[in-house]
C-alpha cells in the first residue's frame, strides 16, 4: 500500500491518504503535549511504542469481539487503518479518581470508585475539549442517541476486558479515553490505546506508567512506556527488534 498526501496532522499523529480508498495510513509521532498544547516536548521512541502498544490492544479487543479501525502494522511507527469519519465525542472511562475528575469534584487522587464512571467530552481544541452530557451532544449534533449509547456500552465493555487483562500484568487501569467513528455505516473504535490515552499504575507500588510522568515532570517518561510494552508483550523494547517481534 502506498502512502499519499497528508490529510491531517494532530498532536500525536499524522494521517495520510493511501492508494486504497478504504484505508488511511497513520504515522505516530514522538511529539508530546499536555494541558491542551500548553506544554510541549518530545518523548524518545514514543511513536514506535504507542504504535506497537495500540496494535496489541486492538488485536486483543478484536479477539473479544470489539471491532476497531486497525488493519495492520506498516513499519515500526505506522499502521494502516480503516478510513473513519470520526465522531467529535471523546469517551473517558474511570475506575480510580485522578486528573480532572479529582480537580473537578474533590475526590483525592487514588480513590477507588464504587463503579466505573463514563464521561463524554466535546472533541474541540479551541474550547479545551469540554465535558458534555448526552443532551449537549445531541443539541450540537455530535452524535445520535443511538451512537452515544453505543459509545457508553462499548466503553464499559473495553473497560471490563482491559481491567482483567492488565490485572494479570500487575497494572491498574486508572482511566482511559476512547474515540469512535463510522466506516461504511459501521460503528468502530478508532484512534489509539496507549500510555498517551490511558492512566496505568503499577499494581503494587502505584508508580505512574503513563503520560502523567510528562505532564508532572516526574522523569523517566520513555522508561514508563517501555515498561508497559514489556509487561504486555513479555519482550524488552529494542527499536531494531520490534519488526522481528511481531
Amino acid at each position: 500500500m502506498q502512502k499519499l498526501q497528508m490529510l491531517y496532522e494532530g498532536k500525536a499523529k499524522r494521517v495520510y491518504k493511501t492508494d486504497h480508498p478504504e484505508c488511511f495510513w497513520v504515522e505516530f509521532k514522538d511529539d508530546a503535549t499536555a494541558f491542551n498544547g500548553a506544554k510541549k516536548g518530545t518523548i524518545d521512541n514514543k511513536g514506535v511504542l504507542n504504535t506497537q502498544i495500540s496494535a496489541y490492544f486492538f488485536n486483543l479487543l478484536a479477539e473479544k469481539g470489539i471491532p476497531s479501525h486497525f488493519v495492520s502494522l506498516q513499519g515500526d511507527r505506522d499502521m494502516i487503518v480503516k478510513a473513519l469519519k470520526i465522531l467529535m465525542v471523546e469517551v473517558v472511562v474511570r475506575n480510580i479518581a485522578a486528573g480532572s475528575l479529582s480537580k473537578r469534584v474533590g475526590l483525592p487522587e487514588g480513590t477507588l470508585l464504587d463503579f466505573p464512571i463514563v464521561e463524554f467530552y466535546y472533541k474541540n481544541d479551541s474550547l479545551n475539549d469540554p465535558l458534555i452530557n448526552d443532551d449537549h451532544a445531541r443539541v450540537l449534533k455530535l452524535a445520535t442517541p443511538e451512537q452515544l449509547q453505543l459509545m457508553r456500552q462499548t466503553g464499559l465493555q473495553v473497560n471490563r476486558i482491559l481491567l482483567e487483562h492488565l490485572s494479570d500484568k500487575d497494572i491498574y487501569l486508572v482511566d482511559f479515553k476512547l474515540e469512535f467513528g463510522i466506516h461504511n455505516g459501521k460503528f468502530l473504535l478508532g484512534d489509539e490505546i496507549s500510555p498517551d490515552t490511558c492512566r496505568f499504575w503499577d499494581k503494587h507500588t502505584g508508580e505512574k506508567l503513563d503520560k502523567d510522568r510528562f505532564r508532572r515532570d516526574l522523569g523517566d517518561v520513555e522508561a514508563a512506556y517501555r515498561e508497559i510494552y514489556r509487561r504486555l508483550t513479555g519482550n524488552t523494547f529494542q527499536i531494531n527488534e520490534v519488526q522481528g517481534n511481531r
Side-chain angles (χ1 to χ4, degrees):
M1 191 172 295
Q2 289 187 335
K3 182 197 284 187
L4 302 179
Q5 71 266 30
M6 187 168 68
L7 296 171
Y8 166 79
E9 180 168 6
K11 299 169 188 170
K13 295 182 282 292
R14 298 183 185 92
V15 180
Y16 297 85
K17 289 185 74 171
T18 70
D19 56 347
H20 192 303
E22 298 286 317
C23 294
F24 290 155
W25 183 303
V26 179
E27 177 187 351
F28 286 66
K29 299 160 49 176
D30 290 342
D31 297 347
T33 64
F35 313 118
N36 200 31
K39 179 176 181 177
K40 297 179 181 178
T42 301
I43 301 171
D44 289 342
N45 297 311
K46 180 174 82 77
V48 176
L49 284 158
N50 281 355
T51 304
Q52 305 301 319
I53 292 168
S54 292
Y56 178 93
F57 282 126
F58 284 137
N59 282 326
L60 171 69
L61 292 172
E63 291 172 4
K64 303 292 184 180
I66 296 181
S68 76
H69 68 157
F70 176 67
V71 175
S72 65
L73 288 170
Q74 190 77 23
D76 293 339
R77 66 171 64 239
D78 303 80
M79 62 171 59
I80 303 300
V81 301
K82 294 175 182 173
L84 290 187
K85 181 182 179 184
I86 291 290
L87 297 168
M88 302 306 283
V89 178
E90 297 178 346
V91 181
V92 172
V93 181
R94 300 180 183 274
N95 298 301
I96 297 173
S100 64
L101 178 64
S102 292
K103 294 177 183 173
R104 199 166 58 243
V105 302
L107 277 174
E109 182 172 276
T111 302
L112 182 63
L113 305 177
D114 289 344
F115 53 87
I117 291 175
V118 179
E119 297 174 339
F120 295 142
Y121 290 83
Y122 182 14
K123 185 176 165 63
N124 187 319
D125 286 344
S126 65
L127 297 175
N128 294 326
D129 301 332
L131 177 69
I132 58 174
N133 63 24
D134 294 46
D135 288 342
H136 295 135
R138 292 170 59 188
V139 166
L140 293 169
K141 302 188 187 316
L142 304 177
T144 66
E146 292 76 19
Q147 289 169 340
L148 292 169
Q149 184 61 21
L150 268 176
M151 289 181 196
R152 178 181 295 277
Q153 289 175 351
T154 307
L156 290 172
Q157 279 184 287
V158 171
N159 189 47
R160 285 192 290 272
I161 293 166
L162 296 191
L163 275 176
E164 180 179 357
H165 188 76
L166 293 173
S167 180
D168 291 340
K169 312 287 185 187
D170 288 336
I171 298 169
Y172 276 139
L173 179 62
V174 177
D175 56 38
F176 60 95
K177 181 202 75 170
L178 299 177
E179 296 187 22
F180 297 91
I182 305 298
H183 174 79
N184 289 339
K186 293 183 179 177
F187 177 87
L188 296 178
L189 177 62
D191 196 42
E192 64 181 290
I193 303 175
S194 73
D196 270 13
T197 61
C198 305
R199 282 193 173 89
F200 298 125
W201 292 356
D202 180 87
K203 193 173 179 178
H204 303 289
T205 67
E207 180 185 9
K208 293 175 172 55
L209 299 171
D210 54 60
K211 195 174 164 186
D212 268 351
R213 300 201 70 84
F214 170 76
R215 294 187 185 96
R216 302 185 183 188
D217 295 323
L218 298 176
D220 295 328
V221 185
E222 183 193 358
Y225 283 58
R226 285 173 177 261
E227 179 62 13
I228 290 298
Y229 175 86
R230 187 192 67 79
R231 293 196 193 188
L232 292 175
T233 66
N235 298 319
T236 300
F237 175 77
Q238 298 290 338
I239 190 166
N240 294 327
E241 295 179 5
V242 168
Q243 184 77 34
N245 288 338
R246 289 178 199 156

